């Protein structure tokens, strides 16, 4: 394989394009509403209408507006017209398509009518997005490498291998300002540079696809919609740091992502885009899959590596960091799915281009999974620094049925709830941390007025309690005690003393736990206490020990401080 | 071998660069509470009792796994650390069923000793009273999960000193527990060599010699030390 072969595949793929391309979403969300049946019915309808020469029904990845699935969009191009990348997304978009309605949808191509509900591709939900990671999502066929190559795929890998030194690749990453998309936001270029500079005869690359936050599905969608983009990013990273073996760690709960990755790896190997002597260079790189057994803690990097090694997935103290001593004690670069998905676009379009998007300290875009009490549930990708209000109200369409938004939960169980009055906050790592939440991997759960915040905190604490690995004492026992105190408050059996105990525990668990799971487990409590303390105090009962009534407080200052401790540092 | 100089609680200490903060403190005669640490086996930093404050670090660091560095300024006994240690101990007592008065290790228990030493006179959290079983199928030893604090000392001596690999941890969170082989009764284990190192390593009354009654369970760690010294220093010496 060399560049001519790659260009030839791309041109052949573009030339074989038919007049109508009907894109049918085959990501897990739409599949759950039988989009597979829709695709089969569409194929059959095309056959019956005798339109095989003019129509291609293409199974694609996530088309983003998940709440209206199964989604089908029709692109029409005059035959012979040159098709440019990015020409798609123009035609009519059909919502909630059923297999029964497939023939009427095909009939519209020949002037017929359909009663199917039409979506607006020019709605802010679509036009306000700035896709980089999701650029191919919903457009290319994730199960055909040719489709990805036609969208300029693997060109960046060629250019990197043939025209750049590893150091130049690392420097480009540093210049781009990309920060880790797994949640902590560590500068990616810096991490690469550390691994690249650590002398070692063996190094590894790991892609962390153990997305476990409730309500988050960004990584799953990327893997299901554009697996080759992640493979290409990993190969570039491997070249930059000097590794020749990569692992993708995916949860067993993502069977579709696993099967698409397996297909993608097989296809890339067949074309010589993975394996030895890639693009006729001396560079060798292989990727294997490792399937997680469903433990949330395995998303923590040291626990993940233990799991890849076949050990019990429990974290270990850092330092040493994986960059120095990781998988089987060799230097290891570990990045999130979305981070790797950003790499090829950065290499293709340059660091300056990427650095021009976003804010001063946070470059590029971020994918969010919008869920909860919001009109447009689905996947969005917006520039860093986009105000939360814009995400929720303009893209998300606000709360359904005219409800009022009360809070937005970001960052999953490690994150926090941001009150509606703070909605003008720009979404980036630092602003969210200031509010006691975190960016996290990108889950965003919108809550309306009916939501009881103490119960939200209890839900997340129950999650952390169940998912604690049990290794360190504060997290194993602290989460149990915090959960039981929250239950006591919800049952209206707790006193101000219990609330104080809860706050004390939050502080202790946060500062003494071994890994990130424990250190951030109190965040849902701390952030709800910060914005909705009155909901906690309203549930307290009188403290019989000091004979005080919450409705008639003693003249002394209230037993608990008025404002919760600031979270994040 | 290069040496590093640091201060612990204001005291100047000079130790080898490979030493941990805990090594340095022990060397200087400064007490840091530990529970999961056991001389001779690698450290896991799980009990979080040995956390210390290091100037310039926003996080508390476990003394047992943190290597010393030049000029480190360490505080081992601040008010904040004392409070955290007390809560940690209270949590341990509330977690399972620790009833000293009927325990084989009463008077020889590291958890009990630590609680005394840290001034923990009562537990403010709700006792969980979980249901745990006792495995008494082994011919020589017993395993009482009610008294286990999951320090994993027994697992580590079993794998890394004896090399038998009988003991392990199963389950997660509050359901985590020590198992033998693939969660089979200890008495039926094919891998257990009946060496008793796990019993010697246990800080509480969770692992005990059969036949021991209240307060009788004393640990003899000299055998462990003998083997570790022999292995590490190639010296076959016993006290």
């Amino acid at each position: 394989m060399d560049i001519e072969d790659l260009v030839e595949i791309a041109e052949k793929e573009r030339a074989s394009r038919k007049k109508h391309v009907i894109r049918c979403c085959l990501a897990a969300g739409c599949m759950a509403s039988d989009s597979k049946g829709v695709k089969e019915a569409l194929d059959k309808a095309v056959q019956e209408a005798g339109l095989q020469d003019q129509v291609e029904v293409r199974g694609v990845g996530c088309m983003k507006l998940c709440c209206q699935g199964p989604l089908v969009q029709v692109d029409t191009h005059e035959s012979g017209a040159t098709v440019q990348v990015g020409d798609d997304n123009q035609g009519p978009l059909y919502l909630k398509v059923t297999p029964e309605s497939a023939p009427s949808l095909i009939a519209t191509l020949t002037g017929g009518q359909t009663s199917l509900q039409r979506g607006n591709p020019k709605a802010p939900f679509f036009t306000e997005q700035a896709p980089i990671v999701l650029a191919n999502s919903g457009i290319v066929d994730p199960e055909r490498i040719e489709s990805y190559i036609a969208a300029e795929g693997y060109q960046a890998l060629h250019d990197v291998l043939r025209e750049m030194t590893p150091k130049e690749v690392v420097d480009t990453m540093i210049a781009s300002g990309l920060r880790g998309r797994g949640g902590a936001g560590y500068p990616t270029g810096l991490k690469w540079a550390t691994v690249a500079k650590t002398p070692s005869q063996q190094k590894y690359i790991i892609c962390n696809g153990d997305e476990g936050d409730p309500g988050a599905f960004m990584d799953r969608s990327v893997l299901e919609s554009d697996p080759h983009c992640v493979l290409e990013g990993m190969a570039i990273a491997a070249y930059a740091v000097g590794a020749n073996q990569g692992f993708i760690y995916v949860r067993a709960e993502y069977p579709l992502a696993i099967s698409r990755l397996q297909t993608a790896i097989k296809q890339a190997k067949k074309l010589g885009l993975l394996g030895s002597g890639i693009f006729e260079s001396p560079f060798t790189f292989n990727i294997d899959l490792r399937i997680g057994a469903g433990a949330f803690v395995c998303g923590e990097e040291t626990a993940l590596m233990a799991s890849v090694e076949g050990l019990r997935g429990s974290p270990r103290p850092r330092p040493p960091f994986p960059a120095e001593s990781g998988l089987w004690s060799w230097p290891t670069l570990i990045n999130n799915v979305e981070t790797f998905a950003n790499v090829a676009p950065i290499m293709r379009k340059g660091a300056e281009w990427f650095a021009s998007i976003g804010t001063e300290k946070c470059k590029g875009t971020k994918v969010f999974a919008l869920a909860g009490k919001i009109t447009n549930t689905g996947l969005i990708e917006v520039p860093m620094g986009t105000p939360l209000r814009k995400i929720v109200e303009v893209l998300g369409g606000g709360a359904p049925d005219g409800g009022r938004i009360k809070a937005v939960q970001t960052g999953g169980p490690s994150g926090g709830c941001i009150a509606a009055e703070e909605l003008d906050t720009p979404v980036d790592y630092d602003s969210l941390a200031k509010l006691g939440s975190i960016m996290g991997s990108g889950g965003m759960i919108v809550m309306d007025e009916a939501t009881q915040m103490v119960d939200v905190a209890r839900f997340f604490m129950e999650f952390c309690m169940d998912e604690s690995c049990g290794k360190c004492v504060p997290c194993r026992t602290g989460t149990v005690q915090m959960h039981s105190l929250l239950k006591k408050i919800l049952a209206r059996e707790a006193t101000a003393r219990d609330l104080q105990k809860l706050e004390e525990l939050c502080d202790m668990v946060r500062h003494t736990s071994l890994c990130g799971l424990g250190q951030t487990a109190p965040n849902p409590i701390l952030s709800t206490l910060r914005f909705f303390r009155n909901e906690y105090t309203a549930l307290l009962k009188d403290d019989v020990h000091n004979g005080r009534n919450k409705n008639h407080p003693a003249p002394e200052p209230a037993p608990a401080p008025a404002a919760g401790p600031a979270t994040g540092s | 071998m290069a040496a590093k100089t640091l201060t612990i609680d204001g005291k100047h200490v000079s130790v080898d660069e490979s030493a941990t903060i805990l090594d340095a403190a022990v060397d200087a005669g400064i007490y840091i509470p530990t529970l999961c640490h056991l001389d001779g086996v690698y450290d896991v930093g799980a009990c979080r009792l040995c956390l210390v404050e290091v100037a310039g670090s926003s996080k508390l660091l476990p003394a047992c796994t943190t290597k010393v560095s030049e000029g480190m300024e360490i505080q081992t006994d601040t008010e904040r650390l004392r409070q955290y240690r007390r809560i940690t101990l209270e949590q341990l007592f509330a977690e399972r069923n620790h009833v000293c008065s009927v325990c084989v290790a009463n008077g020889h228990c590291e958890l009990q000793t630590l609680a005394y030493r840290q001034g923990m006179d009562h537990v403010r959290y709700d006792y969980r009273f979980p249901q745990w079983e006792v495995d008494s199928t082994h011919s020589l030893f017993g395993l009482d999960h009610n008294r286990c604090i999951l320090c994993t000392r027994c697992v580590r001596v079993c794998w890394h000193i004896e090399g038998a690999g009988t003991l392990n941890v199963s389950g997660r969170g509050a359901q985590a527990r020590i198992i033998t082989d693939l969660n089979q009764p200890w008495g039926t284990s094919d891998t257990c060599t009946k060496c008793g190192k796990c019993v010697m390593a246990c800080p509480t009354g969770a692992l005990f010699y059969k036949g021991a009654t209240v307060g009788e369970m004393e640990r003899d760690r000299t055998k462990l030390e003998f083997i570790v010294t022999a292995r590490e220093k190639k010296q076959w010496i016993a006290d």
Side-chain angles (χ1 to χ4, degrees):
Chain A
M1 171 67 89
D2 58 24
I3 190 70
E4 279 85 30
D5 298 331
L6 197 72
V7 171
E8 197 186 311
I9 294 173
E11 277 170 2
K12 201 172 148 203
E13 179 72 14
R14 283 182 210 138
S16 71
R17 190 190 160 111
K18 294 174 185 167
K19 186 180 169 195
H20 302 286
V21 176
I22 301 180
R23 289 179 286 116
C24 175
C25 176
L26 285 186
C30 285
M31 291 264 271
S33 329
D34 197 23
S35 67
K36 196 149 196 188
V38 172
K39 165 129 193 318
E40 280 160 13
L42 285 170
D43 274 326
K44 199 164 149 245
V46 170
Q47 294 276 337
E48 280 167 3
L51 293 170
Q52 299 95 309
D53 297 338
Q54 289 181 50
V55 182
E56 176 199 349
V57 182
R58 186 190 292 173
V60 294
C62 185
M63 290 164 74
K64 297 163 191 163
L65 192 57
C66 302
C67 57
Q68 300 288 355
L71 300 170
V72 174
Q73 192 166 15
V74 184
D75 299 319
T76 304
H77 295 275
E78 288 314 309
S79 52
T82 358
V83 180
Q84 300 292 325
V85 176
D87 266 3
D88 304 294
N89 257 338
Q90 308 295 332
L93 172 71
Y94 297 97
L95 314 174
K96 297 189 174 162
V97 183
T98 57
E100 295 74 43
S101 58
S104 73
L105 196 155
I106 298 298
T108 58
L109 301 178
T110 49
Q113 291 295 319
T114 176
S115 57
L116 274 168
Q117 205 185 329
R118 290 270 291 265
N120 177 13
K122 299 270 181 280
F125 180 82
F126 296 105
T127 53
E128 294 291 333
Q129 298 207 29
I132 296 174
V133 169
L134 299 176
N136 291 333
S137 176
I139 293 171
V140 306
D141 181 347
E143 295 189 343
R144 291 185 62 243
I145 192 169
E146 295 82 4
S147 190
Y148 177 69
I149 292 173
E152 300 183 323
Y154 287 107
Q155 278 184 21
L157 179 62
H158 171 269
D159 296 349
V160 161
L161 292 183
R162 302 301 295 265
E163 284 157 28
M164 290 170 87
T165 63
K167 192 176 177 305
E168 283 168 354
V169 180
V170 172
D171 289 344
T172 308
M173 286 310 286
I174 292 176
S176 75
L178 176 68
R179 290 169 67 174
R181 297 294 193 243
Y186 189 79
T188 306
L190 214 57
K191 203 186 240 185
W192 288 26
T194 316
V195 182
K197 281 177 189 156
T198 312
S200 174
Q201 47 181 337
Q202 175 74 55
K203 290 177 189 176
Y204 291 105
I205 300 271
I206 299 178
C207 172
N208 184 347
D210 191 65
E211 177 180 59
D213 294 359
F217 48 90
M218 302 76 51
D219 294 350
R220 190 198 72 204
S221 299
V222 172
L223 292 174
E224 283 173 0
S225 310
D226 200 10
H228 285 287
C229 176
V230 178
L231 301 187
E232 189 181 1
M234 286 180 72
I236 292 170
Y239 174 73
V241 304
N244 52 37
Q245 175 66 51
F247 292 99
I248 304 180
Y249 190 89
V250 204
R251 319 173 62 189
E253 291 91 332
Y254 288 174
L256 187 63
I258 293 168
S259 106
R260 291 207 173 138
L261 276 171
Q262 280 166 337
T263 311
I265 292 171
K266 214 160 129 191
Q267 290 171 344
K269 270 189 182 151
K270 207 169 166 190
L271 288 186
L273 296 166
L274 285 177
S276 53
I278 300 171
F279 283 119
E280 288 162 20
S281 75
F283 176 62
T284 295
F285 183 59
N286 285 299
I287 296 179
D288 284 317
L289 286 184
R290 286 291 180 272
I291 313 299
F296 178 68
V297 73
C298 286
E300 198 278 341
E301 57 184 17
T302 58
L304 187 151
M305 291 188 303
S307 179
V308 171
E309 289 178 26
L311 304 170
R312 177 179 164 83
S314 47
R316 60 157 176 80
R318 294 176 303 180
F321 287 91
E324 188 190 326
S325 170
L327 209 51
W328 293 290
S329 300
W330 297 107
T332 303
L333 174 73
I334 175 160
N335 276 141
N336 168 268
V337 170
E338 197 185 326
T339 314
F340 279 127
N342 269 302
V343 173
I346 290 174
M347 291 299 151
R348 212 160 47 223
K349 298 185 185 174
E352 296 78 30
W353 163 78
F354 191 81
S356 70
I357 306 165
T359 65
E360 193 191 338
K361 281 186 175 165
C362 305
K363 306 297 185 192
T365 59
K366 179 76 192 82
V367 182
F368 292 101
L370 269 181
K373 298 286 173 60
I374 189 153
T375 310
N376 298 328
T377 307
L379 207 61
I380 58 161
E381 182 172 0
V382 289
M384 287 280 188
T386 305
L388 199 51
R389 186 180 299 284
K390 188 173 170 189
I391 295 178
V392 174
E393 292 179 357
V394 179
L395 281 89
D401 310 322
R404 265 194 64 211
I405 290 167
K406 183 175 183 180
V408 179
Q409 209 279 349
T410 69
S414 309
C417 297
I418 295 166
E421 52 264 37
E422 303 285 348
L423 276 185
D424 289 313
T425 311
V427 176
D428 60 55
Y429 295 99
D430 311 301
S431 310
L432 291 185
K434 266 189 213 139
L435 288 176
S437 186
I438 58 164
M439 171 92 84
S441 54
M444 208 173 253
I445 303 171
V446 181
M447 297 160 186
D448 69 3
E449 289 290 341
T451 317
Q452 151 69 273
M453 300 314 280
V454 185
D455 198 44
V456 171
R458 185 207 53 82
F459 168 81
F460 282 110
M461 193 47 66
E462 186 170 327
F463 182 86
C464 290
M465 178 178 82
D466 289 342
E467 295 297 340
S468 164
C469 76
K471 179 173 180 173
C472 78
V473 181
C475 175
R476 183 181 76 225
T477 64
T479 51
V480 173
Q481 293 288 354
M482 287 191 283
H483 181 251
S484 98
L485 282 166
L486 285 171
K487 273 207 318 205
K488 201 170 168 188
I489 293 173
L490 281 166
R492 296 174 182 267
E493 283 166 8
T495 60
R497 200 178 292 231
D498 288 310
L499 186 59
Q500 199 186 340
K501 224 156 52 175
L502 180 67
E503 295 194 85
E504 196 181 277
L505 257 182
C506 286
D507 173 61
M508 178 264 185
V509 172
R510 186 170 161 214
H511 289 108
T512 60
S513 291
L514 196 160
C515 81
L517 195 160
Q519 287 161 9
T520 58
N523 279 357
I525 301 184
L526 290 168
S527 71
T528 46
L529 268 174
R530 177 176 171 154
F531 293 116
F532 306 99
R533 192 179 189 89
N534 53 347
E535 294 197 19
Y536 282 84
T537 48
L539 290 169
L540 298 182
K541 68 167 187 177
D542 297 347
D543 191 341
V544 287
H545 292 290
N546 57 20
R548 217 178 276 160
N549 185 318
K550 70 175 160 61
N551 297 320
H552 302 93
E556 289 298 305
T567 57
S569 42
Chain B
M1 284 209 301
K4 301 275 178 203
T5 307
L6 53 148
T7 43
I8 306 180
D9 296 342
K11 189 172 172 181
H12 287 282
V13 183
S14 192
V15 286
D16 183 69
E17 61 179 353
S18 67
T20 62
I21 296 177
L22 183 62
D23 295 333
V26 171
D27 218 37
I30 294 165
Y31 170 76
I32 297 177
T34 58
L35 202 48
C36 64
H37 168 82
L38 179 69
D39 283 337
V41 284
Y42 68 91
D43 283 303
V44 289
C47 73
R48 316 308 281 173
L49 283 169
C50 71
L51 288 179
V52 293
E53 289 178 16
V54 177
S57 164
S58 58
K59 286 190 170 168
L60 302 174
L61 298 172
C64 65
T65 59
T66 309
K67 292 263 185 292
V68 292
S69 62
E70 188 64 38
M72 237 182 193
E73 284 176 41
I74 299 159
Q75 293 291 329
T76 69
D77 197 28
T78 62
E79 183 49 44
R80 180 181 177 214
L81 290 172
R82 275 199 295 271
Q83 194 201 343
Y84 286 161
R85 283 170 190 158
R86 248 193 57 157
I87 301 178
T88 305
L89 287 166
E90 285 180 49
Q91 300 265 343
L92 279 172
F93 275 95
E95 186 184 22
R96 295 198 176 182
N97 304 309
H98 296 279
V99 188
C100 299
S101 58
V102 296
C103 180
V104 287
N106 191 7
H108 315 287
C109 171
E110 289 179 47
L111 181 65
Q112 189 185 33
T113 312
L114 267 170
Y116 283 139
R117 187 157 186 166
Q118 299 296 320
M120 191 206 93
D121 45 18
H122 69 293
V123 174
R124 291 166 299 158
Y125 303 98
D126 292 342
Y127 284 96
R128 311 300 311 166
F129 299 122
Q131 293 271 322
W132 286 106
E133 288 177 354
V134 179
D135 185 345
S136 57
T137 55
H138 196 273
S139 56
L140 302 175
F141 321 120
L143 166 57
D144 185 350
H145 294 290
N146 293 289
R147 300 169 185 154
C148 178
I149 54 165
L150 291 169
C151 66
T152 68
R153 281 185 190 182
C154 54
V155 177
R156 284 174 281 154
V157 292
C158 187
W159 284 81
H160 295 275
I161 298 188
E162 178 62 8
T166 304
L167 296 169
N168 220 321
V169 185
S170 156
R172 58 177 188 238
Q175 276 73 47
R177 65 197 194 98
I178 301 295
I179 55 163
T180 43
D181 285 352
L182 294 170
N183 199 15
Q184 298 301 304
W186 199 358
T188 65
S189 169
D190 293 329
T191 55
C192 178
T193 59
K194 303 186 183 180
C195 70
K197 291 188 182 66
C198 52
V199 184
M200 289 175 226
C202 184
T204 69
L207 286 163
F208 54 90
Y209 296 121
K210 272 189 163 175
T213 184
V214 176
E216 287 184 358
M217 193 53 227
E218 286 188 64
R219 320 267 166 193
D220 177 13
R221 300 246 161 85
T222 54
K223 198 168 154 195
L224 284 181
E225 278 166 36
F226 175 74
I227 297 171
V228 172
T229 314
R231 190 171 291 172
E232 287 176 357
K233 300 184 181 160
K234 307 272 181 274
Q235 290 171 348
W236 297 90
I237 44 168
D239 291 331

